[in-house]
Amino acid sequence: MTGLLDLFGLAESAQLLSLSAPGWGGNLLRGLANSLQIALGAFGMGLIIGLFGAYGKLYGGPILRDLLAIYTTVIRAVPELVLILILYYVGTDLINKVASSFGYGRVEISGIVAGIWVLGIVQGAYATEVLRGAIKAVPPGQIEAARSYGMPPFMTMRRVTIPAMMSFATPGLANLWLIATKDTALLAIVGFAELTLETRQAASSTRAYFTFFLAAGALYLMVTLCSSVIFGWIERWARRGQPSLRERRQ
Amino acid sequence: MTSFKSLMQPHRLVLIALFAALVVWCAVSLRWDWIPTYAPLALEGLWTTIWILVVTSILGFALAVPLGLAQAVGPWYLSTPARIFCTVIRGTPLLLQIWLLYYGLGSLFPQFPWIRSSELWPYLRQAWPYAVLALTLSYAGYEGEVMRGAFSGVAKGQLEAAKAYGMPRLTMFRRIWLPQAVRNVLPTLGGETILQLKATPLVATITVLDIYAVSSRVRSDTFIVYEPLLLLALVYMAIAGVITLAFKRFEDRVPQRR
């Protein structure tokens, strides 16, 4: 193994990327773990906001509908970077105001919680649109049938709407998840120690920019490729029982 | 576009009144005294944002056409590299790509004396060529996928008809294939251009002075937090609105069978 690395002149890069102390591999992996944690949290929060948002947009009153329309339009028109800054400052300000009104001092907010909160609100706007489209694609007869059996609305949602819309929603949700993993890189600008920031610190202290940026790119790419495999499984699971287009065409 | 009548419903009037009150409150109680000082700089930054957006979108689209074509109908030795390019660009964060180009290439170039003495060096020392390159490649990567679908979506009969008339291949591509492909994906292209607009503030991280960088400078100079950010969000929404309208005009010019 070492002979092979020497052959390609990669011994120095391998040393820089090694997991033990002189190498920076451990830092990169810790950054990756932070990134994935934030992405998972933000995606989950986005799904919850999106589900309520989609129901609000479809079945809510006129005021709720207009407010949700403003929410999705504004969030989707403003760059994520600007939103992250605004939401970050608003969030820390609000928490500090609440804390001081209860008589506590300044509160330090953990980077991960703030990142999840900020990216979750951004994801929520996109998820609202994805899920709204998916819910609208469910044949209304199925929901009417559930209603006519006297199913309460929440049970209809759990047993009929969500399973039936899954196959329409998974491609959009897969895209959203990929956006979430890549948006975590933006948190580097606010100073969270996620993968991109760790990479930049490692690169600027060793001057080996290409090694570290390419390594981080490979890590992100690995996450992307793994996620597309997993989402492929989820989509196949969501489509079970549906006739495949390819078979029908023949 | 929402019509005037649909705005006249009572609950919307209340919302509009609330919104107007919010705007008035913002104008009165927030601090805007920094605007005159920074207005010239902000205009300069706005101009940078707009030209970077326009140039990278056009160059990126020009690059996306061969990428899409290679993926749609190309032989394997063209389609595989194109697919790998699109996967890599779409699979890694743009911020990382920008930093890789700027810090990576930027630290590599000075080591070669012939690059330092070449005529390009005054440009390579600045940040904007790296920003333009990164954003162009990113737009091309996303658009390559869109154009792949667009090229393979053009009806086969149209191309066969052109062939039957003895049209040369380039003319056929220019007159029939490309226009039809672009027409079909105009809405997607509009959405992607707005995504590109939202990617432009990232160039501020490599010292390009765009409108986002100006707002950061105002914040760090004056310690005013919210006002520059709110104005910045408003500016981006305005540009996004202009892009939407422009693409809507393009779409309206496409004759459609309904």
Side-chain angles (χ1 to χ4, degrees), chain A residues 85 89-90 93, chain B residues 215 219 222-230:
Chain A
L85 287 175
Y89 288 125
V90 170
D93 257 16
Chain B
S215 110
R219 279 189 300 128
T222 61
F223 298 108
I224 301 175
V225 177
Y226 291 114
E227 289 84 344
L229 281 174
L230 286 179

Side-chain angles (χ1 to χ4, degrees), chain A residues 74-96:
Chain A
V74 168
I75 295 279
R76 294 191 307 160
V78 177
E80 279 85 349
L81 191 52
V82 180
L83 285 176
I84 285 173
L85 287 175
I86 294 179
L87 292 172
Y88 181 70
Y89 288 125
V90 170
T92 44
D93 257 16
L94 275 183
I95 290 182
N96 278 321

Side-chain angles (χ1 to χ4, degrees), chain B residues 72-86:
Chain B
V73 290
W76 65 269
Y77 51 85
L78 288 180
S79 68
T80 315
R83 200 162 50 236
I84 291 175
F85 174 79
C86 288

Side-chain angles (χ1 to χ4, degrees), chain A residues 43 123 169-180 182 231, chain B residues 90:
Chain A
F43 185 64
Q123 287 267 311
T170 34
L173 292 181
N175 272 345
L176 269 188
W177 162 249
L178 293 183
I179 292 175
K182 287 187 292 170
F231 270 101
Chain B
R90 287 151 47 100

Side-chain angles (χ1 to χ4, degrees), chain A residues 62-63 66 76 78-79 82 85-86 89-90 93 126 182 185-186 189 196 200 209-210 213 217 220-221 224, chain B residues 11-12 15 87 90-93 95-96 99-100 103-104 107 142 198 202 205 212 219 225-226 232 236-237:
Chain A
I63 295 178
D66 279 4
R76 294 191 307 160
V78 177
V82 180
L85 287 175
I86 294 179
Y89 288 125
V90 170
D93 257 16
Y126 290 90
K182 287 187 292 170
L186 298 181
I189 291 165
T196 308
R200 190 176 160 185
Y209 289 103
F210 267 111
F213 282 126
Y220 276 113
L221 205 57
T224 308
Chain B
H11 74 276
R12 285 201 173 139
L15 280 181
T87 313
R90 287 151 47 100
T92 51
L95 186 62
L96 196 74
W99 285 359
L100 171 71
Y103 294 111
S107 70
Y142 284 92
K198 300 198 313 180
L202 293 183
T205 61
Y212 172 80
R219 279 189 300 128
V225 177
Y226 291 114
L232 187 66
Y236 279 112
M237 283 200 286

Side-chain angles (χ1 to χ4, degrees), chain B residues 199-221:
Chain B
T200 52
L202 293 183
V203 303
T205 61
I206 57 168
T207 72
V208 177
L209 194 79
D210 70 335
I211 182 80
Y212 172 80
V214 174
S215 110
S216 317
R217 183 177 291 181
V218 174
R219 279 189 300 128
S220 60
D221 283 358

